Amino acid sequence: MILLQISSAQGPDECMLAVKKALERLIQEATELNIIVDILEEERGQRVGTLRSVLIAIQGEKELQLLKRWNGTIKWICESPWRKGAGRKNWFIGVTQFEPMQEMMEGDIKFETSRASGPGGQHVNKTESAVRAVHIASGISVKVQSERSQHANRRLACLLLEHRIRQLQSMQQAQLKAERRLFHHQVERGSAVRTFIGMKFTLLS
């Protein structure tokens, strides 16, 4: 299992749109490779249909193959849908890998279930499918209700909790915090690992 973060860094709305399109394309390619993709966290942009950043988990026999395609700078060549006539057509986003924790056991976690709330219609409130996971030692907790089954939400809660705990540990070491901060503020604009073109996000190279 690999954690990937797709970020617009400090880029404008067009870069946030590129993050959304890159996520959709990555999920499509993952499906073709029989790789499971779970969205753990996402930060939405101000415009509808855009993402400032998203954290995903990919898992499957060919996960390294997918990682190799995406890890690095992604270039998108397209006219801005919001600034007609603007000269800029090149937009850059970044994809980076973060290693998941390996040592945390389910015995270290306390699980609580409740009825899910929010979007989803009547079905979402019929069963106690929402899962809250608490790491006993640190007190860190997360709540997941994106899936309809308790089992699926429990699995995603464990993944997200692992990531939160790793963040805490890395902040104490002043290592991962610095890496992620740097990643959000700086995307290398040369040597793109992949280039896409147009609103259909067609692969160019």
Side-chain angles (χ1 to χ4, degrees):
M1 190 263 289
I2 297 172
L3 298 185
L4 287 178
Q5 184 178 21
I6 310 173
S7 176
S8 63
Q10 296 299 298
D13 292 333
E14 291 83 357
C15 292
M16 299 181 201
L17 178 58
V19 170
K20 176 68 172 179
K21 289 183 175 294
L23 175 63
E24 294 171 349
R25 175 70 183 230
L26 190 152
I27 292 175
Q28 177 187 335
E29 293 182 4
T31 301
E32 295 170 355
L33 295 172
N34 294 317
I35 295 173
I36 298 172
V37 178
D38 292 309
I39 298 175
L40 303 181
E41 287 183 323
E42 61 179 29
E43 182 181 355
R44 298 182 183 276
Q46 292 185 347
R47 292 185 182 271
V48 176
T50 65
L51 289 173
R52 186 178 301 275
S53 69
V54 61
L55 178 71
I56 64 173
I58 61 174
Q59 187 169 13
E61 291 184 2
K62 298 181 179 180
E63 60 186 30
L64 291 177
Q65 179 179 334
L66 188 65
L67 170 65
K68 186 176 179 181
R69 293 181 186 177
W70 287 93
N71 194 27
T73 298
I74 305 297
K75 180 179 180 180
W76 181 38
I77 304 172
C78 186
E79 291 187 4
S80 171
W82 301 297
R83 293 182 279 186
K84 299 297 184 182
R88 182 176 175 182
K89 296 182 181 179
N90 294 333
W91 315 100
F92 297 89
I93 62 174
V95 181
T96 192
Q97 174 190 6
F98 293 96
E99 294 292 339
M101 293 177 61
Q102 301 295 331
E103 300 300 326
M104 191 174 71
M105 307 296 292
E106 283 210 6
D108 301 327
I109 307 172
K110 177 183 177 182
F111 294 97
E112 300 173 357
T113 59
S114 62
R115 290 190 177 184
S117 60
Q122 295 179 349
H123 177 84
V124 78
N125 292 313
K126 288 183 178 179
T127 61
E128 292 194 346
S129 60
V131 174
R132 181 171 179 261
V134 182
H135 185 242
I136 298 171
S138 66
I140 295 174
S141 67
V142 299
K143 183 177 180 180
V144 176
Q145 60 179 31
S146 57
E147 301 294 331
R148 291 186 175 181
S149 80
Q150 185 183 123
H151 176 75
N153 283 330
R154 183 184 177 108
R155 182 174 65 87
L156 293 182
C158 286
L159 290 173
L160 184 53
L161 191 60
E162 287 179 359
H163 180 67
R164 292 278 177 85
I165 293 170
R166 181 176 176 85
Q167 282 185 304
L168 176 62
Q169 293 174 338
S170 297
M171 285 175 64
Q172 293 171 346
Q173 300 170 359
Q175 180 178 355
L176 182 58
K177 179 182 179 181
E179 292 177 0
R180 292 195 69 177
R181 183 174 64 245
L182 178 63
F183 176 65
H184 275 296
H185 285 79
Q186 181 179 4
V187 171
E188 185 181 355
R189 283 168 168 72
S191 303
V193 295
R194 305 189 92 182
T195 300
F196 296 89
I197 188 169
M199 290 300 294
K200 292 185 177 180
F201 214 67
T202 303
L203 180 63
L204 187 62
S205 63

